[in-house]
Structures are given as structure tokens and as C-alpha cells.
């Protein structure tokens, strides 16, 4: 096994591209090291990206926020501007693991681990987040939901690495929220989850909406119909009922020891209603 700590994204990409055997990227390591210890993977090359300039920084720009791939989730929770603009995203990130894990884990790693139950991903999808991908052919920017293609699988080609997550600048009257259901009070994997992102017009009616569900299909679901049903409403009871019905119907979950298909479908609708209500209030709705 070979461990390297490159100082530039170009060097990291070059090493990954020419790797002959299995290669892995080390940011926080909260997924990678557990999988290595369990014998699930045995990479011949580990590329530690924490020393690459800018990858451990959160940068606020005129367009929004740029979150480097090596920024720990604990740091997200300490960034007041990010927390004020995107509370749902920060809440989701701060649910990953224990306090100790929070100091290491990253939302980019959570995304690339490609678990359907990842906490940060539904919130990022609802937020319309983008991923900046660097590779041998240069850089490209893609929607976050285009990264996972199935459990443990991503769309990233050989040599490609996500260097940052982008979140848009918040307009006035906007809010987001993330909720999950777990059997325990904390430190558990989501049985089902929901992220909602809304903007309102000057009269308090919903102008734009995105709804995403986690642990409800092989990848996080962006339920476009659910977002459409919210537009034009002030989140009345009838709209919330339609939202729940659409979200329950969109689910393609599995039966396992943590929840049945029927249970997950029911809870997905309930969580979508609650997350939408929270996001609406955060956006200034009454």
C-alpha cells in the first residue's frame, strides 16, 4: 500500500489517473478507514487531500459558498454565515456520526460514499448544490444528485476527484430544513429522511421548491412533483396532504431490519410535511 499527500489538485488527479490497482481518496477517513479495517476494501494507493490549498476552506463569494472537499462537518456548524444561509444543510451535516467523527467527516466524503441513507445528501440535493469535479480532462461542475449512481457507486471516472461543493447565494425569503427518522436518539443511520428547500414571494406564497428523500431508493431521490405541488401555496393542510402522498408514492425502498417498505413510505410523507413546514417558517412564512 502506498500513501501520498499531494500539495495540489493536479498532483492528486495525476496520481489517481496513473494508479494501476484500487485507489482511494482520504479526506476525513470516517468511511474509508472503517471499510479498510473491516476488510471490505484494500486500496493500493491512498491519496490524502488535506494538504491541498483551499480544500479545507469555506469561502463566501458573491455567488454563494464554496465548501472545500476536506472541510470537516464540525467546521460547517461553526460557520455563522453558512449556518444562517443554509441551516438545513448544516443540520444534516452535523448529524453524521459522533462529536469525535464530526471533527473528521466531510460532506464530500458522505456524498462519494454513495449511501442511500447519507444524511447530508438529501439536504444538498434539496439545496440545488453543485459539485466541482477535477480530472485528467480538466474541471466540470455537476449537480450533486448526479454523483451517486447506486449504493457505493458514483459517476466519477478514473482520476476524477470532487474538490468542492457549491451552494448558491440565498435570496430573500428563503429557507431549508432536513429531518430523518432513526430508531435511537442519535448516532444511527437514517431509516428514511427528507430535505426541503423553499423560496417565497412577497405575499408569502411559495415561489420555488425542491424536495429530496433519503434511504427511500438506491440513490437519494429528487421528487420534482413534490416541489411542484408546493409552488403557489402558503403550505395549507390540503397542500401538505398532497405533498405527503406524492413523497410516499415516489419511494422505492427495501425491507430490512430497520424498517419495512410500508413504514418507510409512510414516514417519508410525514417527514416531508414537517421539513416543509420548518423551511416555510425559516423563509418567513406565516
Amino acid at each position: 500500500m502506498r500513501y501520498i499527500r499531494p500539495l495540489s489538485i493536479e498532483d492528486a488527479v495525476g496520481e489517481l489517473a496513473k494508479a494501476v490497482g484500487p485507489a482511494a481518496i482520504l479526506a476525513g477517513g470516517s468511511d474509508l478507514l472503517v471499510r479498510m479495517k473491516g476488510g471490505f476494501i484494500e486500496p493500493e494507493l491512498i491519496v490524502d487531500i488535506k494538504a491541498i490549498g483551499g480544500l479545507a476552506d469555506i469561502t463566501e463569494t458573491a455567488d454563494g459558498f464554496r465548501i472545500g472537499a476536506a472541510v470537516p462537518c464540525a467546521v460547517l456548524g461553526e460557520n455563522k454565515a453558512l449556518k444562517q444561509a443554509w441551516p438545513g444543510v448544516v443540520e444534516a451535516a452535523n448529524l453524521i456520526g459522533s462529536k469525535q467523527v464530526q471533527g473528521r467527516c466531510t460532506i464530500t466524503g458522505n456524498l462519494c460514499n454513495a449511501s442511500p441513507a447519507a444524511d447530508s445528501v438529501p439536504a444538498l440535493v434539496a439545496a440545488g448544490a453543485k459539485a466541482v469535479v477535477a480530472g485528467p480532462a480538466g474541471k466540470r461542475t455537476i449537480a450533486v444528485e448526479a454523483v451517486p449512481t447506486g449504493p457505493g457507486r458514483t459517476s466519477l471516472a478514473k482520476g476524477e476527484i470532487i474538490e468542492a461543493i457549491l451552494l448558491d447565494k440565498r435570496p430573500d425569503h428563503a429557507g431549508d430544513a432536513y429531518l430523518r427518522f432513526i430508531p435511537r436518539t442519535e448516532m444511527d443511520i437514517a431509516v428514511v429522511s427528507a430535505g426541503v428547500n423553499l423560496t417565497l414571494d412577497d405575499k408569502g406564497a411559495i415561489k420555488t421548491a425542491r424536495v429530496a428523500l433519503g434511504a427511500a431508493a438506491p440513490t437519494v431521490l429528487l421528487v420534482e412533483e413534490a416541489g411542484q405541488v408546493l409552488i403557489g401555496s402558503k403550505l395549507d393542510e390540503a397542500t401538505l396532504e398532497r405533498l405527503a402522498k406524492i413523497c410516499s408514492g415516489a419511494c422505492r425502498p427495501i425491507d430490512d431490519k430497520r424498517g419495512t417498505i410500508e413504514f418507510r413510505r409512510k414516514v417519508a410523507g410525514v417527514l416531508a410535511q414537517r421539513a416543509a413546514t420548518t423551511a416555510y417558517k425559516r423563509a418567513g412564512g406565516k
Side-chain angles (χ1 to χ4, degrees), residues 110-156:
N110 197 226
L111 172 64
C112 292
N113 190 50
S115 167
D119 277 312
S120 69
V121 181
L124 289 170
V125 171
K130 303 288 192 299
V132 180
V133 181
K139 295 185 181 182
R140 59 193 177 101
T141 302
I142 60 175
V144 159
E145 57 266 29
V147 175
T149 58
R153 302 192 305 275
T154 74
S155 62
L156 299 180

Side-chain angles (χ1 to χ4, degrees), residues 71-101:
V71 175
C73 289
V75 174
L76 297 184
E78 294 170 354
N79 189 296
K80 292 182 179 179
L82 180 63
K83 197 171 183 179
Q84 183 176 359
W86 293 100
V89 171
V90 175
E91 285 170 347
N94 288 164
L95 287 172
I96 302 171
S98 64
K99 292 292 184 184
Q100 295 90 331
V101 170

Side-chain angles (χ1 to χ4, degrees), residues 205-226:
I206 295 173
K207 185 166 59 175
T208 65
R210 285 171 65 96
V211 179
L213 301 176
T219 60
V220 169
L221 291 174
L222 174 61
V223 189
E224 294 183 2
E225 187 182 357

Side-chain angles (χ1 to χ4, degrees), residues 4-258:
I4 62 170
R5 190 177 171 91
L7 300 179
S8 72
I9 197 72
E10 292 78 14
D11 286 346
V13 166
E15 291 289 344
L16 289 167
K18 69 183 183 183
V20 177
I25 297 167
L26 174 63
S30 56
D31 285 314
L32 175 63
L33 298 182
V34 171
R35 293 171 67 194
M36 288 174 61
K37 187 174 182 180
F40 299 107
I41 58 170
E42 195 171 327
E44 293 182 11
L45 172 67
I46 295 176
V47 180
D48 187 340
I49 63 171
K50 289 190 290 296
I52 298 174
L55 264 62
D57 300 330
I58 300 173
T59 307
E60 187 174 4
T61 68
D63 298 322
F65 293 88
R66 180 185 178 93
I67 304 169
V71 175
C73 289
V75 174
L76 297 184
E78 294 170 354
N79 189 296
K80 292 182 179 179
L82 180 63
K83 197 171 183 179
Q84 183 176 359
W86 293 100
V89 171
V90 175
E91 285 170 347
N94 288 164
L95 287 172
I96 302 171
S98 64
K99 292 292 184 184
Q100 295 90 331
V101 170
Q102 280 284 306
R104 302 293 294 178
C105 66
T106 67
I107 56 174
T108 302
N110 197 226
L111 172 64
C112 292
N113 190 50
S115 167
D119 277 312
S120 69
V121 181
L124 289 170
V125 171
K130 303 288 192 299
V132 180
V133 181
K139 295 185 181 182
R140 59 193 177 101
T141 302
I142 60 175
V144 159
E145 57 266 29
V147 175
T149 58
R153 302 192 305 275
T154 74
S155 62
L156 299 180
K158 182 178 175 63
E160 287 191 324
I161 178 173
I162 294 178
E163 68 174 37
I165 299 295
L166 305 180
L167 289 167
D168 288 341
K169 183 178 180 179
R170 273 313 220 177
D172 293 333
H173 310 302
D176 70 325
Y178 171 80
L179 291 172
R180 68 177 183 176
F181 175 84
I182 57 174
R184 301 189 300 184
T185 56
E186 58 182 314
M187 284 180 60
D188 207 345
I189 300 170
V191 176
V192 68
S193 61
V196 177
N197 177 37
L198 307 171
T199 61
L200 311 183
D201 63 21
D202 293 336
K203 297 180 180 179
I206 295 173
K207 185 166 59 175
T208 65
R210 285 171 65 96
V211 179
L213 301 176
T219 60
V220 169
L221 291 174
L222 174 61
V223 189
E224 294 183 2
E225 187 182 357
Q228 288 296 319
V229 80
L230 295 176
I231 295 174
S233 79
K234 292 187 177 181
L235 220 60
D236 55 275
E237 201 63 39
T239 299
L240 287 172
E241 287 299 321
R242 289 197 296 273
L243 172 66
K245 186 175 181 180
I246 291 168
C247 288
S248 294
C251 291
R252 305 192 306 274
I254 59 171
D255 274 319
D256 63 17
K257 63 184 179 181
R258 296 185 300 115

